[in-house]
Amino acid sequence: MRNEKSRKTKPSAKRGGKSENIFDANLFAAKSVRGLKAYVPGEQPSGGGWVKLNTNEFPYPPSPKVAKAIIAELKGKRYGNLRLYPNPESRVLRKAVAEHFGLEEKNAIIGNGSDDILNLAVRAFSDSSLRIGAMSLSYSLYPVLANIQGAKYEEFDFGKNFAIPIKRICESGVNIFFLTSPNAPTAHGFELSQVEKLLKSFKGLVLIDEAYAPFCRYGSAAKLVKKYKNAIVSSTMSKGWALAGMRVGWALANEEIIGVLDKVRDSYNVDRLAQAAALAAIKDKPYYKRLCAKIMSTRTDTEKFLDKIGFEHIPSSANFILARPVVNGRHGADMAEGLFEHLKKDKILVRYFASDKRVNDSLRITVGTPEEMKKFKESVRKWIESQK
Ligand SMILES: *Cc1c(COP(=O)(O)O)cnc(C)c1O
């Protein structure tokens, strides 16, 4: 009865009419979520025929041992394995990943992609009074995670030649500093000596997000974990191991840090098939070594092409290149967007960050196979002709 009554009186025309019937979920949302701008991932087009150079995926299939391992996992216990929860800590995989980098099992934690790891780090090491620092131009997920957590996010400008402003970071009092190394979206690679200098001088934690380390001549920063207690080195199987679809990432750090991260981790954050696939991948070193070398050689070819046509770019230490289109001295956001649309008409997808003024005169181009890059080059040449 009472319900009946209130229903009659509530949506009255006198008190605002239509708008009263609109359900605004934001009114129920936490303060930090209400005004939140979510992370925008690169497009995953449906249908075939696309040359996908927009999300830095590996252009070759994963090791054949990966499919075998997934099928074996699926078939185990007479196809009964998936009935059972996975190992909660991804124990076997922790050991394999740690040993791959010359560390011990206690130094590793596995995530549902490295985005999961970054989320764990933000949850564990920041809040409304513990600030996060990062370079201006970094992986654009960090500020989103910081905002959700209600943590202040501070950006630092690079010095000359991408120098890390170590003094300013040390004086800032941030609790944790996220360093994308090699950097995204610029593709600049930091020498390990510079990373080490930051670890040595800075009193807070440094998370080195090395998603692109397999393509960098300076190699991985994982060995610094033994030397510096404030180092967290995260990476992913999405870029260098051809497993973006599987969602596996990790962090390497001293065991106390791993212990804290484990406290905020979902109990079963990595599924059985992902654990099996990642284990097979990390063990097949020769396969990935060969293909990463191939990608780096295609990268050199692509950079030579960009130089020849006069597009500006910095030398890449990753599997992508940030390039600024220049034709007859003209450049800018219109040019970048124009080329982006032109490529898309040719079914070639690259990444364009329209709303970021720091890079909206450039395109981020993933290094694909030589065949894919041939199509890219042909399409770019056509566009240049149309601009003259
Ligand atoms: C792609 C990427 C990630 C996320 O990787 P996932 O494992 O796919 O979540 C993290 N950091 C950087 C810098 C990346 O480019």
Side-chain angles (χ1 to χ4, degrees), residues 31-33 36 118-134 141-155 174-176 178:
K31 207 171 152 197
S32 61
V33 176
L36 187 74
L118 299 171
N119 191 22
L120 295 184
V122 167
R123 269 155 65 182
F125 299 117
S126 80
D127 62 20
S128 58
S129 63
L130 299 172
R131 288 169 290 142
I132 299 172
L141 178 68
Y142 310 150
V144 179
L145 296 176
N147 287 339
I148 296 170
Q149 180 76 352
K152 205 164 162 237
Y153 182 78
E154 275 176 43
E155 291 193 319
V174 297
N175 193 50
I176 181 166
F178 283 69

Side-chain angles (χ1 to χ4, degrees), residues 16 30 64 78 97 206 234 297 333 338 356 365:
R78 295 190 189 168
V97 168
V206 180
S234 78
S297 143
D356 191 334
I365 302 143

Side-chain angles (χ1 to χ4, degrees), residues 350-372:
V350 298
R351 193 81 193 266
Y352 178 53
F353 302 98
S355 62
D356 191 334
K357 287 207 169 63
R358 297 168 297 182
V359 284
N360 69 359
D361 61 351
S362 302
L363 297 176
R364 196 193 67 188
I365 302 143
T366 305
V367 178
T369 63
E371 296 73 32
E372 288 173 322

Side-chain angles (χ1 to χ4, degrees), residues 92-214:
V92 182
L93 187 54
R94 282 191 195 208
K95 187 162 187 286
V97 168
E99 283 175 359
H100 179 88
F101 291 100
L103 299 166
E104 293 172 53
E105 185 190 323
K106 63 182 183 198
N107 299 122
I109 180 170
I110 310 296
N112 178 23
S114 68
D115 286 349
D116 181 24
I117 295 291
L118 299 171
N119 191 22
L120 295 184
V122 167
R123 269 155 65 182
F125 299 117
S126 80
D127 62 20
S128 58
S129 63
L130 299 172
R131 288 169 290 142
I132 299 172
M135 298 311 304
S136 170
L137 281 181
S138 290
Y139 182 34
S140 53
L141 178 68
Y142 310 150
V144 179
L145 296 176
N147 287 339
I148 296 170
Q149 180 76 352
K152 205 164 162 237
Y153 182 78
E154 275 176 43
E155 291 193 319
F156 296 76
D157 288 329
F158 283 112
K160 255 195 193 140
N161 300 319
F162 290 94
I164 302 169
I166 293 176
K167 193 160 168 270
R168 274 191 285 131
I169 295 167
C170 291
E171 289 165 354
S172 70
V174 297
N175 193 50
I176 181 166
F177 191 86
F178 283 69
L179 183 73
T180 319
S181 169
N183 187 257
T186 65
H188 171 77
F190 299 100
E191 283 183 44
L192 284 186
S193 60
Q194 210 186 150
V195 178
E196 187 163 0
K197 218 167 140 190
L198 175 64
L199 286 166
K200 202 187 263 178
S201 321
F202 180 52
K203 293 282 173 279
L205 300 177
V206 180
L207 188 146
I208 300 143
D209 178 355
E210 56 171 39
Y212 300 104

